Amino acid sequence: MHQDIGLKLSRVPRLWRAILDECLAPLELTQTRWVTLYHLSKMGDGQPQCDLARSIGVEAPSLVRTLDQLTEQGLIERRPSDEDRRTKRVYLTDKATPLLKKIETVVEQARIEMIEGLSDDDIDQLDAILTRIEKNGQQLLSRSSCEE
């Protein structure tokens, strides 16, 4: 039974993203685009590209194409940093605001439906368990090598 935990932990986020992808597709948002917009909205305007990439969990060069696409859609602007002209900072445009509201609505509805049937205590317990698993995983990852 415990052997399936890792598989379930990997399947649930994929399922979550698939649901959101399907619901956001009519807005012409791929997963990388809506994830980027969502993270930027949570982090706040003016984020350096490298910090935004780190928050999303991708390499900075991988984010550039997505930022180009979002710029073409008129949803973000990239501006040079006042402190370091080599650094580009990312800003949401006014056009992104209504889209972000739609993203928030879709995410909230998916969240409600995904946790249907769970009590507040269940959710609190799940949150505590996932936090513990994440902490254990971070400790394991921080070791120089996995022990056999």
Side-chain angles (χ1 to χ4, degrees), residues 48-97:
Q49 284 184 193
C50 58
D51 291 353
L52 181 57
R54 195 173 305 114
S55 170
I56 295 169
V58 299
E59 296 292 325
S62 300
L63 183 61
V64 171
R65 181 172 180 227
T66 300
L67 294 178
D68 287 343
Q69 293 165 341
L70 291 170
T71 300
E72 288 173 18
Q73 285 183 279
L75 299 173
I76 64 156
E77 292 178 357
R78 286 182 278 188
R79 303 178 201 154
S81 170
D82 292 337
E83 298 85 32
D84 181 356
R85 295 192 67 91
R86 296 171 297 175
T87 300
K88 298 281 190 206
R89 294 189 174 271
V90 185
Y91 296 84
L92 293 165
T93 65
D94 291 340
K95 185 178 177 182
T97 303

Side-chain angles (χ1 to χ4, degrees), residues 22-51:
E22 183 178 314
C23 294
L24 293 171
L27 302 176
E28 297 181 26
L29 291 174
T30 62
Q31 183 179 113
T32 54
R33 291 182 198 178
W34 70 257
V35 166
T36 300
L37 288 173
Y38 188 78
H39 276 266
L40 183 57
S41 73
K42 295 301 176 198
M43 295 173 72
D45 263 346
Q47 293 301 315
Q49 284 184 193
C50 58
D51 291 353

Side-chain angles (χ1 to χ4, degrees), residues 129-147:
I129 291 167
L130 290 173
T131 299
R132 180 58 193 216
I133 290 171
E134 182 179 20
K135 181 180 174 186
N136 290 345
Q138 288 171 340
Q139 289 174 347
L140 181 62
L141 189 59
S142 69
R143 293 182 191 162
S144 59
S145 64
C146 291
E147 299 170 6

